[in-house]
Amino acid sequence: MPQILVLVEHSQGKLTTVTGELLAAAARLGEPSAVLVGRPGIGDSLMAELGALGALHVYVAEADAADTLLVTPAVAALDAAAKAAGAVGGVLITASIAGRETAARLSVRLDAGLINDAVDLESTDGGIVATMQALGGAFTVRAAAKSLPIVTIRPHAITGAAPAAEAQRINVDVDLDAAPAAQITAVHAEATATDRPDLMSASVIVSGGRGLGSRENFALVEQLADVFGAAVGASRAAVDADYCDHNMQVGQTGVTVSPDLYIALGISGAIQHRAGMQSAKTIVVINKDADAPLFEVADFGVVGDLFTVVPQLIEAVRARQQ
Ligand code: FAD
């Protein structure tokens, strides 16, 4: 069976949940193999956990500069791992902003096919076939690559787990001092202080749009999110109007999400917003305009003023939680 390489996502020394999802997807297609890039020591600290998540091989690329050179260390490590592995059937990467850039750069290096924003994957006689959103989410299509497929996958889209394995460690050398890898360097990183789940991988998201009307009113989105233990998202109109921070933007030019539950408050449903969220498993829309396009993809909808409906919803959910 060919190896399926998975780029490991980790933050502050800990694996993020998407790594398990990518390894589960890889196990459906071939031998799941993890590619781990980080500062010296990262291999020792994460090997056992990667084995428990199903990695049969772990390609470890350690370098002092691994955390400061943006996506270039990951590209170099995936390139080196693909060469060391020999028969590679595919490469799976999270569909984040950095993940998409890594995948694009790697596809040029390896002269490989690139499939972005997959929500499902299957192994067929003709190779890997991905279900993905195309043309800003206007169509859901099944796509295959003519050469080695490099696929970015939306967090939370793939469920299940790979069987635990005894992971074998393989060290790979990456020359991070070589230009152009060393030309762009991150000098400062600041973690956002929040108790809420990460937007990209959250299982429940409450998003607010222009219908909220002001930054003060946007607190209602946060209050509803908190009763569900959800992440907070937003439309671009809400971000542009400064109701909330830009890293909350969901959509074509924001983050793409695939939660179990997506609740949209005062969002009309422009194609660019839908592109980022319509693969959510259940969509709830609250909008005072019965003709708002987002109702077309809603599983449940409430036509009404959000300032009346949402406080009642918060009260009802709290009452059930007691
Ligand atoms: P509006 O379209 O103004 O809708 C507001 C909604 O709130 C309306 O439906 C209204 O009925 C409802 N409402 C108002 N008051 C209430 C109330 N009291 N109670 C209930 N409902 C109420 N957009 C994104 O979201 N993400 C992207 O990534 C993105 N990328 C883009 C990229 C490009 C190249 C372009 C051109 C646009 C992009 N946009 C994106 C913008 C997109 O086209 C829309 O303009 C935007 O999504 C609209 O946001 P909205 O639904 O919050 O605002």
Side-chain angles (χ1 to χ4, degrees):
M1 276 219 285
Q3 291 187 38
I4 308 295
L5 302 183
V6 162
L7 179 62
V8 174
E9 293 246 342
H10 57 89
S11 171
Q12 295 172 346
K14 294 201 175 81
L15 292 179
T16 61
T17 51
V18 292
T19 300
E21 295 169 16
L22 294 180
L23 285 166
R28 291 191 204 164
L29 310 169
E31 287 188 3
S33 298
V35 179
L36 175 60
V37 195
R39 294 172 64 81
I42 192 85
D44 285 346
S45 62
L46 295 180
M47 276 298 295
E49 219 179 319
L50 288 168
L53 290 172
L56 290 170
H57 316 273
V58 180
Y59 295 91
V60 181
E62 294 182 339
D64 286 327
D67 291 349
T68 56
L69 292 178
L70 310 184
V71 301
T72 45
V75 178
L78 285 163
D79 185 9
K83 287 177 177 124
V88 175
V91 180
L92 309 184
I93 298 172
T94 311
S96 59
I97 290 168
R100 283 197 202 100
E101 184 174 344
T102 305
R105 285 171 179 251
L106 186 69
S107 72
V108 173
R109 276 213 197 182
L110 299 180
D111 198 17
L114 176 59
I115 299 174
N116 262 325
D117 240 1
V119 292
D120 202 6
L121 288 172
E122 62 187 293
S123 180
T124 69
D125 292 344
I128 294 175
V129 175
T131 303
M132 60 173 287
Q133 311 259 298
L135 297 176
F139 299 96
T140 299
V141 298
R142 295 174 78 241
K146 283 185 182 162
S147 50
L148 172 74
I150 297 174
V151 188
T152 65
I153 305 179
R154 284 191 183 189
H156 220 74
I158 307 266
T159 50
E166 193 71 48
Q168 179 202 356
R169 176 173 175 155
I170 301 139
N171 292 325
V172 288
D173 283 332
V174 288
D175 183 7
L176 299 182
D177 295 329
Q183 285 179 356
I184 303 172
T185 307
V187 290
H188 178 66
E190 202 167 316
T192 314
T194 175
D195 295 333
R196 297 197 180 95
D198 172 51
L199 177 60
M200 263 188 57
S201 52
S203 55
V204 182
I205 296 172
V206 180
S207 275
R210 203 197 313 258
L212 268 300
S214 69
R215 187 174 258 270
E216 292 69 39
N217 290 346
F218 200 84
L220 199 55
V221 181
E222 296 165 351
Q223 286 165 23
L224 183 60
D226 288 343
V227 295
F228 282 111
V232 176
S235 71
R236 176 157 145 186
V239 169
D240 287 351
D242 199 28
Y243 299 169
C244 57
D245 294 339
H246 76 277
N247 57 5
M248 293 179 181
Q249 184 180 318
V250 172
Q252 188 182 320
T253 43
V255 297
T256 51
V257 296
S258 207
D260 294 332
L261 175 61
Y262 188 89
I263 304 175
L265 311 178
I267 296 177
S268 61
I271 188 77
Q272 295 90 354
H273 187 79
R274 285 159 60 159
M277 49 60 74
Q278 67 184 9
S279 61
K281 287 155 196 92
T282 302
I283 297 172
V284 177
V285 174
I286 300 173
N287 196 306
K288 68 180 182 185
D289 175 8
D291 294 324
L294 202 55
F295 281 121
E296 291 165 17
V297 295
D299 297 283
F300 301 96
V302 180
V303 178
D305 186 331
L306 69 91
F307 298 106
T308 307
V309 177
V310 175
Q312 290 175 9
L313 179 57
I314 291 172
E315 210 173 294
V317 176
R318 282 200 184 126
R320 277 176 156 252
Q321 287 169 342
Q322 276 161 12

